[in-house]
Amino acid sequence: MRWQGQTIDEADSDALPGLENRTGIVRSVTTPEFSGMTFHEVLSKSGLNRVPGASRMPFSWTINPYRGCSHACVYCFARGTHEYLDLDAGHDFDSQIVVKTNIVEVVERELRRGSWRHETVALGTNTDPYQRAEGRYKLMPGIIRALADSGTPFSLLTKGTLVRRDIPVLVEAAKRVPVDVQLSIAMYDDELQHAIEPGTPSTQARLDTVRALTDAGFRVGVFLMPVLPHLTDSVAHIDTALSRIKDAGADHVVYGVLHLRAGVKPWFFQWLEQYRPDLVSSYRALYPGVAAEAPKDYKKWLARRMRPLIRSHGLYAEAEDDERMRGIMRDRTAPTAPKPAAAEMLF
């Protein structure tokens, strides 16, 4: 790895950001309870990441305490970022996890700056902050408290049921700042879920987490994405998914079609050739060459199918690429009065 030789008082121009010159060492940890995984503990100079203005993301700032993700979702758009570390976007992304062990202290310092404008910060935008590593390092409670103490609104997106551990922390934070909570639950067929998201909690466990957060007073959204062409886009599959989402107490649904960026595409097709070889030619037609997105005609077809079904279940619908979704979080730059023991949501 680019930062493999990082040791006390050594400088490396190719090191991870913040590790060019540091006191201390990069420690790589393996433990029996996390078999097959290695945690690379690093010190970070920065915790708040500015999102480029031209980005399509509906937020301006992010915090990512981890790089790589043990959830091992084959389709994860962030896989390519591991290649910047001279690690591969496949097995290494799933098992070589970078942990920013000092991120709470760094974020606290950054939030105290006079220049900080208390814009909404998004958690869970690159890799999941409630992946298995969080059970060991417990970084999220400190991050949440730091944001709330500084009067900074934040959003949280996760597949991890470990967020239930922090419900009391989130409830306290929501008394002070707007808090937006979303669960990512895309697969409602157990066999498919185990095949394509092998490191995630079960679909039902995540739906139970939606219920727990709802019972705590949050208006919880579910990210029904990615929708997989020919695998999860049938009326029967969508209707079953929405019925279970509604029964779990969710307030709204955000849906979007599979993206296949360059760092993800070869790994996804490798999986598809093993799991559903009959669909490889169809997917190559939908995502030809370097194309990362499904054709516009497919997106329009999916919207015509998805939106009436979402409405029929009494849920509010947002498409991932809706202009409103991209703008709404950028407008939330200051706290508003939350509901008692609940969060002021964005939808």
Side-chain angles (χ1 to χ4, degrees):
M1 291 173 281
R2 293 181 184 179
W3 38 280
Q4 188 75 46
Q6 198 74 34
T7 56
I8 295 174
D9 295 328
E10 287 191 5
D12 180 0
S13 60
D14 293 326
L16 279 171
L19 295 180
E20 298 87 353
N21 193 343
R22 53 170 284 198
T23 58
I25 63 172
V26 173
R27 186 174 73 136
S28 295
V29 179
T30 58
T31 61
E33 62 268 34
F34 296 96
S35 178
M37 295 176 59
T38 301
F39 300 125
H40 302 287
E41 299 177 353
V42 304
L43 298 180
S44 177
K45 278 189 175 179
S46 63
L48 287 165
N49 308 303
R50 177 79 183 190
V51 178
S55 171
R56 295 174 60 192
M57 294 296 101
F59 39 78
S60 298
W61 297 89
T62 66
I63 296 174
N64 293 292
Y66 305 101
R67 295 184 69 164
C69 186
S70 58
H71 284 159
C73 302
V74 175
Y75 54 76
C76 181
F77 72 91
R79 285 187 172 276
T81 62
H82 241 43
E83 295 175 350
Y84 303 147
L85 310 180
D86 288 342
L87 296 167
D88 72 48
H91 181 67
D92 285 348
F93 181 84
D94 304 336
S95 62
Q96 304 288 320
I97 311 300
V98 178
V99 183
K100 302 173 185 178
T101 55
N102 65 331
I103 194 164
V104 174
E105 293 81 2
V106 171
V107 166
E108 288 174 340
R109 182 176 67 246
E110 291 175 329
L111 293 172
R112 287 194 297 267
R113 291 174 180 167
S115 59
W116 177 241
R117 296 178 55 196
H118 304 92
E119 297 175 82
T120 298
V121 173
L123 307 170
T125 60
N126 192 32
T127 57
D128 201 311
Y130 283 104
Q131 60 177 287
R132 291 182 63 202
E134 175 61 15
R136 174 184 175 91
Y137 290 97
K138 301 177 177 63
L139 300 175
M140 283 298 291
I143 293 172
I144 292 168
R145 291 190 184 101
L147 291 167
D149 289 347
S150 71
T152 300
F154 63 92
S155 66
L156 171 63
L157 173 64
T158 182
K159 290 183 172 77
T161 55
L162 186 58
V163 68
R164 296 175 71 168
R165 178 200 68 192
D166 291 348
I167 287 177
V169 184
L170 289 166
V171 168
E172 286 301 311
K175 294 176 181 177
R176 307 173 68 182
V177 297
V179 178
D180 180 36
V181 183
Q182 318 267 3
L183 265 289
S184 177
I185 317 174
M187 309 301 154
Y188 294 80
D189 174 278
D190 289 343
E191 181 184 348
L192 177 60
Q193 187 255 325
H194 291 315
I196 201 167
E197 303 174 345
T200 60
S202 71
T203 297
Q204 188 57 53
R206 279 179 271 171
L207 289 168
D208 292 342
T209 302
V210 171
R211 170 56 64 189
L213 286 159
T214 299
D215 289 347
F218 292 93
R219 291 171 53 200
V220 184
V222 169
F223 270 47
L224 186 59
M225 53 190 295
V227 175
L228 303 176
H230 311 303
L231 284 169
T232 64
D233 61 356
S234 69
V235 170
H237 187 99
I238 295 168
D239 190 60
T240 296
L242 293 172
S243 177
R244 295 177 70 183
I245 290 169
K246 180 64 176 180
D247 289 347
D251 175 74
H252 55 277
V253 170
V254 181
Y255 70 90
V257 186
L258 174 71
H259 291 254
L260 289 177
R261 297 181 183 179
V264 183
K265 206 166 194 175
W267 305 101
F268 180 84
F269 272 99
Q270 183 181 86
W271 172 85
L272 192 66
E273 287 168 356
Q274 296 174 353
Y275 185 78
R276 287 295 300 271
D278 57 308
L279 294 179
V280 171
S281 60
S282 295
Y283 269 77
R284 293 204 182 280
L286 283 168
Y287 300 90
V290 296
E293 298 190 17
K296 289 183 179 178
D297 286 346
Y298 177 85
K299 291 182 178 180
K300 292 178 180 178
W301 172 86
L302 181 65
R304 289 194 298 269
R305 170 166 290 189
M306 185 74 76
R307 287 183 181 274
L309 286 169
I310 293 174
R311 286 194 297 269
S312 72
H313 286 276
L315 294 160
Y316 183 78
E318 282 287 356
E320 176 196 15
D321 52 1
D322 277 354
E323 197 64 37
R324 178 176 178 273
M325 181 187 170
R326 292 201 296 272
I328 195 168
M329 289 180 67
R330 292 189 188 275
D331 295 337
R332 296 296 294 271
T333 57
T336 58
K339 300 188 304 181
E344 181 70 25
M345 293 299 166
L346 302 179
F347 292 88

